[in-house]
Amino acid sequence: MDQLRTLIMVHEAGTALGAARILGREQSSVQKQIDTMNRNFRELCGEPLILKQGRGKDVLFTGTGEALVELARGTLGEWLDGIHESRRRLGKTLVVGTTRFTLSYLAGAGERVAEEFRQRAIELKVGHVRTRDVLAKLRAKDVDLVCGSVVTRPEGDDELAAFDVMEWRRSGVSLLTNLSEAELPGPTAPSSALRSLPLVVSASGLMAGVLHTWFGGDYRNKLRIAAEIDTVNYGFELLRSGLLRGCMLVTKGVADAAGDPRVAYGRGLRAVELVNDTGPRLEVLLGAFTRRGERASYDAAHPLNLLWDALAQENARWQREQRWPTAGLEPDPFELANSYNPSES
C-alpha cells in the first residue's frame, strides 16, 4: 500500500524529489521504492513503470506505469471507503454537514452529546455544506447527517423519499422590493407576475431552483432579469441603494424578518408574499436529514441516533421559546438571509 501511494505521488509531482517533499520523506527512500517497483514490473510485464528523462526533468510513465497508477488510485480509494464505512458502522466516526445558519442548531445539540462522545472516543467531524449540496452530500456518503434547507412541495416530494427528515420549519416564497405600491400592489402578488417584474436573482441555490420549477430551465429568457447576484447580501444592498428598482425572491421567513425595525437589511424594502398560480406550490423546508433506514439499522446508542435525538431536543427547545436560533444575539439579517444563499449558507 505504501508503494502504491508513493507511485501516485511521483505521478502527481513528476519527480522522486517532489514526491518526497509531499510525503515528508527522504528522496532516497522514495527512489528506492520506485527502483524496486520498476525491477519487479520489468520481470512481471516486460516493461518498467517509470523511465528517467535526465537530470531536472520529470520522469516518463510507461503504459504499464499509467495503468498501475489508475489501479492504485482505485485500490486505495476503495480501501479508504471501506475503512470509513467500518468506522461509521461501529460508531467510531460521525461526519456532519451544516449550512452556516443551521450551525447554531448543531452547536446546541453537540453540547448535549459532547460528554458521551468524549468518554466513548467518538470522533465528530463537522463540515460546511452549501444549501444547494445538502442532499447531494448525503447521496455521495460524504456526510452521515446534514442540517440545512431544501425546496419541497407541501403534498410530498419524491426526492425526499430516500431520506429520513426531521422538519424544523417550513416557509413559503416572498418578494422583497423597493418598487412602490403603484408599481407592485401588496400585500400579496401572484407568482405569474414575476414574468413582468424586474428581478434580482441568485445564480444558483434554492431560489434559482424555485424559478426553474415554475418557469423551466430557460427561465432567464422568460423573465426580466435585472441583475444576477452571487450573494443575497449583495442583492439587499443593491435594492436598498436604489441603484436598481426591482424585486428579489426570498423565503417568507426572511421577508417577515425584514419588517423588524431592528433588522438593517430590510430598511427601505417592502415584503410581498407570492401566491402561487404558475406551477406546483413550493416551500423551503429547514431541518435535519439522513439516509433513509440508516438510523434504524443502528442501535439507540449509536452516535448517529444520539445526535439525531439531541437535534430533536434542541428544536423542541427553540419551539417552546418561539425564537430563531440567532435570537439572544444582535439581530443578524445576513444570518437569516444566508440560510437560503448558495454562496454563504
Side-chain angles (χ1 to χ4, degrees):
M1 289 297 181
D2 187 53
Q3 286 181 345
L4 293 180
R5 183 182 66 153
T6 298
L7 183 68
I8 293 171
M9 290 299 101
V10 172
H11 189 270
E12 292 182 358
T15 64
L17 177 60
R21 287 171 175 165
I22 294 173
L23 295 169
R25 291 162 52 182
E26 294 293 330
Q27 180 182 356
S28 58
S29 171
V30 171
Q31 190 61 57
K32 183 177 179 181
Q33 286 188 314
I34 294 300
D35 292 342
T36 299
M37 285 188 284
N38 261 349
R39 184 172 59 254
N40 290 339
F41 274 87
R42 184 180 286 109
E43 294 175 0
L44 287 169
C45 304
E47 182 178 49
L49 302 178
I50 298 171
L51 300 175
K52 293 182 179 180
Q53 292 287 89
R55 190 175 185 86
K57 294 183 178 180
D58 287 358
V59 296
L60 175 66
F61 275 73
T62 65
T64 301
E66 292 287 354
L68 187 62
V69 167
E70 290 306 307
L71 181 62
R73 285 196 175 109
T75 299
L76 292 177
E78 289 175 4
W79 269 81
L80 287 173
D81 288 345
I83 291 170
H84 292 326
E85 187 63 34
S86 294
R87 287 181 62 85
R88 179 182 291 118
R89 177 176 53 81
L90 296 172
K92 296 299 183 182
T93 302
L94 188 65
V95 184
V96 181
T98 174
T99 63
R100 177 182 170 187
F101 176 66
T102 55
L103 184 59
S104 297
Y105 279 93
L106 182 60
E111 291 179 2
R112 296 175 183 270
V113 298
E115 181 58 26
E116 182 164 355
F117 277 26
R118 187 190 65 78
Q119 291 180 1
R120 292 170 55 184
I122 296 168
E123 182 182 12
L124 177 63
K125 295 183 177 180
V126 180
H128 175 225
V129 174
R130 298 182 187 277
T131 298
R132 64 188 177 213
D133 296 329
V134 164
L135 300 183
K137 289 288 187 180
L138 278 174
R139 291 193 193 94
K141 292 192 174 182
D142 293 334
V143 297
D144 303 307
L145 181 151
V146 64
C147 305
S149 303
V150 298
V151 174
T152 186
R153 305 182 184 188
E155 66 275 13
D157 195 320
D158 291 341
E159 187 179 26
L160 293 180
F163 306 98
D164 287 338
V165 181
M166 182 192 303
E167 182 176 322
W168 295 337
R169 182 177 291 110
R170 283 179 182 258
S171 178
V173 181
S174 294
L175 291 174
L176 278 180
T177 183
N178 58 6
L179 297 176
S180 66
E181 287 273 2
E183 296 169 292
L184 177 60
T188 64
S191 57
S192 57
L194 294 176
R195 296 181 184 274
S196 59
L197 293 171
L199 298 176
V200 176
V201 300
S202 297
S204 60
L206 292 183
M207 294 302 117
V210 169
L211 294 176
H212 185 283
T213 301
W214 281 348
F215 300 102
D218 62 340
Y219 67 85
R220 287 178 176 82
N221 297 323
K222 298 178 180 179
L223 303 175
R224 291 178 58 192
I225 307 299
E228 194 161 340
I229 57 176
D230 291 327
T231 68
V232 172
N233 295 352
Y234 183 74
F236 292 140
E237 294 169 3
L238 188 60
L239 291 175
R240 285 204 318 270
S241 72
L243 183 64
L244 180 147
R245 295 189 60 76
C247 314
M248 182 169 64
L249 266 72
V250 295
T251 65
K252 186 175 182 300
V254 171
D256 290 345
D260 189 329
R262 299 173 300 169
V263 176
Y265 78 82
R267 290 172 191 161
L269 303 182
R270 182 167 54 92
V272 176
E273 184 176 353
L274 284 178
V275 178
N276 184 36
D277 66 346
T278 305
R281 186 183 168 197
L282 299 176
E283 295 178 334
V284 175
L285 187 159
L286 176 70
F289 308 83
T290 64
R291 290 176 287 275
R292 183 170 295 280
E294 200 161 281
R295 290 189 307 109
S297 68
Y298 302 140
D299 61 38
H302 190 280
L304 180 60
N305 285 319
L306 292 177
L307 185 59
W308 184 268
D309 292 342
L311 284 167
Q313 294 172 40
E314 197 65 15
N315 182 54
R317 178 173 72 86
W318 271 316
Q319 294 290 343
R320 286 194 306 269
E321 297 174 3
Q322 295 185 337
R323 66 187 183 93
W324 287 84
T326 50
L329 306 173
E330 177 87 17
D332 186 350
F334 299 134
E335 192 72 25
L336 297 177
N338 285 342
S339 62
Y340 310 106
N341 171 7
S343 297
E344 297 293 332
S345 62

